[in-house]
Amino acid sequence: MKDYYADGEEKFGYFTTSFYDVFAWRMLKKLYNFTIEEVKNMSPLSILDIGAGPGRLSVMVAKQFPHAEFYTVDPSEYMVRVENKNFGKAGIKATCKLGSSREIPFDRKFDLIFTTLSFHHWENRDSSISYILSKLSDNGTFLIIEFMEDNYKSPVSLHKKHSISKKYAESLHFDGYEKKVDTSGEFIALSFTKLSS
């Protein structure tokens, strides 16, 4: 089977997938609510979640937009299996496939592309962002949700590897896209919206 991980990226196997599906999402409810707040005023008809993990948040977002076509990608075959299971339990149709921030296996554009707690893992972030922006439809938005390094409190000594700084987010710029940075407590949202040509 093809490996969708780049060298240096954290890999998620059977046990870590089970942990995220059963336990981790319970600790991330505030972050999930922050994400829902960020998207609630949008009106996408096509949505892609990159690095969707077990799909718990994907299902929440899909429920906000019942008329949208929903897609997910994740480099872990175990995560993709659980995504399909969780969408099935929720009675929501979605297309979940193996993929990554460098390889999106869908030949179409999206009104909303989002990624939550995945961006900090990516190698070559700038090239991944450029690639993802090319997958946006006119006026589409790419939304990145992460813990903000400046305020992030974690018992894990390497926690800074699992967050991004506000300074870093503000330093990113891509021609033809409007950038917005929102923060709330220990969370940060970075978005790029494609400007009309």
Side-chain angles (χ1 to χ4, degrees):
M1 182 176 289
K2 181 174 179 178
D3 188 354
Y4 286 88
Y5 288 98
D7 289 342
E9 292 182 339
E10 183 179 355
K11 296 186 177 184
F12 292 86
Y14 174 80
F15 292 107
T16 47
T17 295
S18 297
F19 172 76
Y20 270 82
D21 183 41
V22 178
F23 298 108
W25 69 274
R26 300 173 193 274
M27 298 179 281
L28 297 172
K29 287 183 179 179
K30 287 184 179 178
L31 179 71
Y32 288 3
N33 290 335
F34 174 68
T35 303
I36 296 299
E37 282 295 309
E38 287 294 312
V39 303
K40 72 178 185 181
N41 293 322
M42 299 181 183
S43 53
L45 294 178
S46 53
I47 304 172
L48 170 65
D49 185 356
I50 298 176
R56 296 278 186 172
L57 177 59
S58 307
V59 169
M60 290 175 64
V61 174
K63 286 179 178 178
Q64 295 289 310
F65 305 106
H67 301 296
E69 295 180 14
F70 207 98
Y71 299 77
T72 73
V73 294
D74 198 280
S76 167
E77 63 178 302
Y78 301 100
M79 290 291 194
V80 173
R81 286 181 202 162
V82 175
E83 288 162 23
N84 277 305
K85 179 193 76 174
N86 286 330
F87 273 105
K89 278 184 180 178
I92 297 172
K93 183 180 178 182
T95 304
C96 308
K97 289 190 175 182
L98 283 166
S100 72
S101 62
R102 298 166 302 279
E103 191 165 347
I104 296 169
F106 305 117
D107 185 22
R108 61 162 305 158
K109 305 276 189 178
F110 298 92
D111 298 331
L112 171 62
I113 301 175
F114 73 99
T115 186
T116 307
L117 299 186
S118 173
F119 182 71
H120 64 262
H121 290 296
W122 299 356
E123 295 291 323
N124 305 313
R125 292 175 184 169
D126 283 10
S127 60
S128 285
I129 294 175
S130 293
Y131 169 64
I132 292 164
L133 294 179
S134 74
K135 296 289 185 177
L136 287 177
S137 57
D138 289 343
N139 300 310
T141 296
F142 173 41
L143 175 65
I144 299 165
I145 304 285
E146 285 284 346
F147 283 108
M148 183 168 64
E149 181 180 305
D150 316 60
N151 297 339
Y152 185 28
K153 304 288 190 286
S154 170
V156 181
S157 61
L158 298 177
H159 71 275
K160 289 195 175 186
K161 289 187 176 181
H162 293 83
S163 60
I164 62 172
S165 70
K166 185 177 180 183
K167 182 178 180 181
Y168 168 73
E170 291 175 340
S171 74
L172 294 172
H173 177 77
F174 294 87
D175 290 338
Y177 297 86
E178 179 185 7
K179 182 180 73 177
K180 182 180 177 185
V181 178
D182 282 338
T183 62
S184 177
E186 60 183 349
F187 309 130
I188 186 166
L190 169 64
S191 65
F192 297 94
T193 300
K194 188 173 183 178
L195 299 174
S196 298
S197 52

